[in-house]
Amino acid sequence: MDGAAQPEHRVRLLAPLTKAGGDEVLRFDLDGQEHGVSLRISQLNRQMVAGLPDRALDLLELAALVYAVDSAVSRGGPALHHMGKRWHRRFVVEMPVRDLPHWQGAGVGQALEDLLMFLSGDRFEFTFTTRLYPDAERNRFFKFGGKSAWKADRILMFSGGLDSFAGALEEIVEQKQRTALVSHFSATKIAPVQRHLQEYLSDEHGRDLSRHVPVHIQLVGGKTREGTHRSRSFLFAVLGAMTAQAFGRDRVSFYENGIVSLNLPPVGNVLGTRATRTTHPRTLTLMTGFLSQVFDGGMRADNPFFWRTKTEVVSTIARLGAADQIRHTRSCADVHNQTKQHVHCGRCSQCIDRRFAVLAAGLESYDPEEAYRVDLLNGRRERVEDKEIALSYVRNAEQFEHLSADVLAQHYPAVLDAVGNLGEPAKTSLSMIAELLKRHGVSVAGVMQNVRGSGSLAAFPENSLPRLYGEAQRERLFAGVPGAVSGQAPARKLTIVIDRNRETATVDSVVVLAKGATAGLILVLSNAFLEAAGQGLDPFDFPAIPARRLAKMLNLSSDEGVRQRVNRSRTELGKKFASAGLDKDRGTAIIESVPGHGYRLAPDLVEVRVAPKAKPTR
């Protein structure tokens, strides 16, 4: 931290609106304003839920509340994502509970706060009080399935990604375990993915071997202010533990490869934003300790894939005969902008990691190149951030390939957080981690060697990863050599300056849009862009304006009128860019269509500023 006081937020869980049940919205007061989060758990039956202890229901509400306040309070936006003074937050929470003696018991509150601090970087301070009407809303968040005698042998957290799918295959296909697949989703685009993969498992390997337990949670009104969701894994673990308890089990498994679990920063600007600690060994130790205090008989959280790389995980899917399902899994962090054609952005570290693993395993025919908006090797990376994410991923893999255990501890001291939580002597754990990282490095290096061996790097598009990598190597090779040619200057965003009084928009000081239809559209989209930036949203999460709403804002009669206005504006922008000697394609790409959501200014291409007000003349 930077020594500044953490912003303090006061939170109080509110009573439900009805005492009769059926109210699936958890309401809470945050800094004097009422908010809500909807929570719905499907497919468990009434008998299972009836057997859950009161403290488990308390824990469910507590986990949902933590997730909700995490999502509702910004960490400061992209400018402060490098652990700025608002990154670390402090939440003072008043929580009414059914089982007050338990929550006030020795060590329970401290174990909870320690877990949340490591997971999220935030300080949560809880005061527990007696809950009114403790029995009335017992079933409020559950959508019951029919009566069933089916019992799970294993509980597996199922995200719809490659790792959890590979884990499900091992449990069901290899070990013949009846497996409950617990899925959490807030975006409707992920639910069909999870459902399809579970149905595949049932159809191919017998309906008695798997059941899907989907859980939907979302802030009411779509008021998400923070997209990092560092506390989501706490909610995820609680959902799994409750399902395990309902089935009479004492173990919940997260399947995630060890490279991701270690959480060694792939790039500086990912640290503290989209990097997570969901399956970090210390997280699982803290999680196990805390959950064991809540559930009689104990509860263990583990990660059976910790000693595997992503490439080894992908190879597991092929080995178990499900390579054709790789295309149906999802790994991308940018869920908001997924389309039917581009289900992966190709720019985030998760997409890069996935594609490298698929190529290293030789399974690219099962993972279509066109599914990525930016292809790993042939895609153009225009944003400075995108270039750095991809290059840093490769650079780190190169280092991992050659790191000894001693050098690993010196250069990545954060690895020591994991070493003490693996159940092995420290020296043994460190050597095993070094070997894991080396295998990862070898996989990535193999892909890059194949690229270099396929011909000249000049054959790849400008700003593609092979070209960027080649330029970086050349700069490193000729560093300090007089007259050596350096790589290209990093591409920058286009700057749009809007003047609300004159109703004009100026792009890069040379393209002027004055009072016409295109200027009007750009002004409306710019206002929405600035509002999203002011809320501290990650650019990936800047919302689009739905066509129907945009039609009203532009005084157009229909959605079709909006589409025509956008197309004409793109054409005009392209022409003006060409006339000014700029890239025509960048001009037409300024206005971005987000299928199913509407239109926005492309946050990866532009930044918006407001012209200062002119001083009045005398």
Side-chain angles (χ1 to χ4, degrees):
M1 298 185 198
D2 57 8
Q6 293 167 273
E8 179 178 297
H9 303 279
R10 295 198 167 270
V11 183
R12 181 167 55 91
L13 183 64
L14 301 175
L17 295 180
T18 173
K19 306 299 183 293
D23 179 15
E24 62 186 36
V25 175
L26 190 76
R27 292 173 175 80
F28 60 96
D29 181 285
L30 172 62
D31 296 332
Q33 292 188 337
E34 183 173 324
H35 297 259
V37 58
S38 62
L39 175 64
R40 185 174 67 255
I41 304 172
S42 304
Q43 297 306 317
L44 297 181
N45 62 44
R46 289 184 181 275
Q47 293 82 358
M48 290 177 178
V49 174
L52 291 172
D54 284 346
R55 69 185 65 166
L57 298 174
D58 290 337
L59 178 58
L60 174 63
E61 295 186 352
L62 188 152
L65 180 63
V66 167
Y67 173 81
V69 298
D70 178 15
S71 302
V73 177
S74 172
R75 294 185 185 272
L80 292 177
H81 272 176
H82 292 284
M83 299 297 185
K85 65 181 180 180
R86 289 178 58 194
W87 170 263
H88 299 278
R89 303 162 298 181
R90 180 176 174 225
F91 296 102
V92 180
V93 183
E94 181 183 330
M95 179 82 194
V97 293
R98 300 167 181 82
D99 190 351
L100 184 61
H102 169 77
W103 294 105
Q104 291 183 332
V108 176
Q110 189 62 54
L112 172 61
E113 291 173 10
D114 289 347
L115 169 60
L116 292 175
M117 171 63 83
F118 184 73
L119 266 179
S120 67
D122 298 319
R123 183 173 299 282
F124 283 82
E125 299 174 11
F126 291 91
T127 299
F128 296 104
T129 61
T130 300
R131 181 187 185 90
L132 300 175
Y133 310 106
D135 298 322
E137 330 83 39
R138 184 176 186 85
N139 299 335
R140 63 188 289 203
F141 303 121
F142 295 92
K143 181 180 180 181
F144 293 113
K147 291 184 178 181
S148 173
W150 189 83
K151 288 286 186 181
D153 301 312
R154 296 296 311 277
I155 311 301
L156 185 151
M157 306 313 298
F158 191 68
S159 67
L162 287 168
D163 296 60
S164 64
F165 180 57
L169 285 169
E170 284 209 348
E171 295 284 1
I172 294 167
V173 180
E174 271 195 334
Q175 301 177 29
K176 305 300 182 186
Q177 297 290 305
R178 290 172 298 184
T179 305
L181 305 174
V182 182
S183 295
H184 154 239
F185 66 94
S186 56
T188 54
K189 294 178 182 179
I190 295 301
V193 172
Q194 297 166 345
R195 189 164 54 247
H196 166 85
L197 293 173
Q198 191 277 328
E199 288 173 354
Y200 162 83
L201 292 167
S202 291
D203 292 343
E204 291 293 316
H205 303 289
R207 296 194 173 274
D208 190 53
L209 285 178
S210 68
R211 290 287 190 280
H212 192 205
V213 182
V215 181
H216 180 252
I217 183 166
Q218 192 168 34
L219 283 180
V220 175
K223 297 180 181 179
T224 299
R225 296 289 182 266
E226 180 54 50
T228 55
H229 298 310
R230 292 294 293 269
S231 69
R232 175 162 44 195
S233 52
F234 174 62
L235 172 64
F236 210 19
V238 167
L239 295 171
M242 288 192 63
T243 304
Q245 175 82 3
F247 281 113
R249 302 300 174 188
D250 62 359
R251 176 187 176 191
V252 55
S253 294
F254 295 80
Y255 278 82
E256 193 162 61
N257 70 85
I259 307 301
V260 170
S261 296
L262 281 170
N263 195 33
L264 299 180
V267 290
N269 56 15
V270 173
L271 177 62
T273 54
R274 295 192 181 276
T276 66
R277 290 174 168 172
T278 300
T279 55
H280 190 283
R282 186 176 172 190
T283 296
L284 297 179
T285 296
L286 292 171
M287 195 83 73
T288 295
F290 169 68
L291 292 175
S292 293
Q293 291 181 303
V294 176
F295 296 100
D296 293 335
M299 184 64 64
R300 177 160 58 101
D302 63 11
N303 176 15
F305 275 1
F306 180 78
W307 296 112
R308 298 191 200 181
T309 67
K310 190 80 165 186
T311 301
E312 291 162 352
V313 168
V314 174
S315 298
T316 295
I317 295 174
R319 176 175 59 82
L320 295 175
D324 60 333
Q325 295 302 305
I326 289 175
R327 69 181 63 235
H328 298 294
T329 63
R330 297 290 182 267
S331 305
C332 185
D334 187 16
V335 176
H336 178 74
N337 290 318
Q338 285 182 7
T339 66
K340 288 184 178 180
Q341 180 182 1
H342 302 302
V343 295
H344 292 99
C345 73
R347 302 178 308 190
C348 68
S349 59
Q350 291 94 318
C351 284
I352 291 168
D353 190 40
R354 171 193 175 98
R355 191 62 175 165
F356 262 114
V358 169
L359 292 173
L363 296 169
E364 58 269 27
S365 63
Y366 297 101
D367 189 42
E369 180 180 318
E370 59 269 20
Y372 295 80
R373 185 179 294 274
V374 177
D375 178 64
L376 178 67
L377 301 178
N378 292 302
R380 295 174 181 265
R381 300 178 190 273
E382 303 292 348
R383 300 192 312 173
V384 173
E385 179 186 5
D386 294 340
K387 295 175 183 178
E388 182 59 21
I389 288 174
L391 284 173
S392 293
Y393 182 92
V394 176
R395 283 197 296 263
N396 279 13
E398 286 179 335
Q399 292 178 7
F400 293 157
E401 185 181 5
H402 302 289
L403 282 183
S404 66
D406 292 338
V407 175
L408 172 64
Q410 292 173 8
H411 285 268
Y412 294 92
V415 79
L416 299 178
D417 273 337
V419 165
N421 293 278
L422 291 171
E424 300 282 352
K427 188 173 182 179
T428 301
S429 292
L430 199 57
S431 295
M432 293 173 69
I433 290 173
E435 178 58 32
L436 171 72
L437 293 171
K438 180 177 181 178
R439 297 199 308 274
H440 168 69
V442 168
S443 293
V444 174
V447 173
M448 297 308 295
Q449 287 167 5
N450 288 338
V451 169
R452 290 196 296 270
S454 64
S456 171
L457 294 182
F460 289 91
E462 228 175 72
N463 290 326
S464 64
L465 177 56
R467 285 280 289 273
L468 294 168
Y469 178 70
E471 290 163 5
Q473 283 191 314
R474 183 176 60 193
E475 288 187 0
R476 211 163 31 178
L477 181 63
F478 290 105
V481 178
V485 179
S486 64
Q488 294 180 333
R492 61 174 180 77
K493 291 185 178 182
L494 300 166
T495 300
I496 300 177
V497 178
I498 62 172
D499 188 323
R500 291 172 175 142
N501 292 328
R502 294 192 176 100
E503 298 182 22
T504 64
T506 305
V507 185
D508 269 15
S509 302
V510 293
V511 175
V512 180
L513 306 166
K515 288 194 175 180
T518 300
L521 175 60
I522 294 295
L523 286 170
V524 168
L525 296 178
S526 293
N527 289 333
F529 186 102
L530 289 169
E531 182 181 353
Q535 293 171 355
L537 298 180
D538 187 291
F540 278 152
D541 300 324
F542 280 17
I545 303 178
R548 185 167 298 178
R549 182 177 159 212
L550 193 54
K552 292 182 179 179
M553 298 170 79
L554 296 172
N555 293 318
L556 298 173
S557 60
S558 65
D559 294 3
E560 177 60 22
V562 170
R563 189 184 67 80
Q564 292 175 4
R565 172 72 61 86
V566 168
N567 288 338
R568 286 195 295 266
S569 296
R570 286 171 174 161
T571 300
E572 181 180 349
L573 284 164
K575 290 179 179 179
K576 284 183 174 291
F577 265 59
S579 297
L582 301 176
D583 184 347
K584 174 183 176 182
D585 291 338
R586 293 194 85 190
T588 60
I590 284 176
I591 303 172
E592 182 178 49
S593 302
V594 183
H597 294 274
Y599 301 92
R600 66 180 184 178
L601 295 181
D604 57 340
L605 291 182
V606 305
E607 58 184 9
V608 178
R609 297 176 185 171
V610 179
K613 292 183 179 179
K615 294 181 179 179
T617 57
R618 295 184 178 179

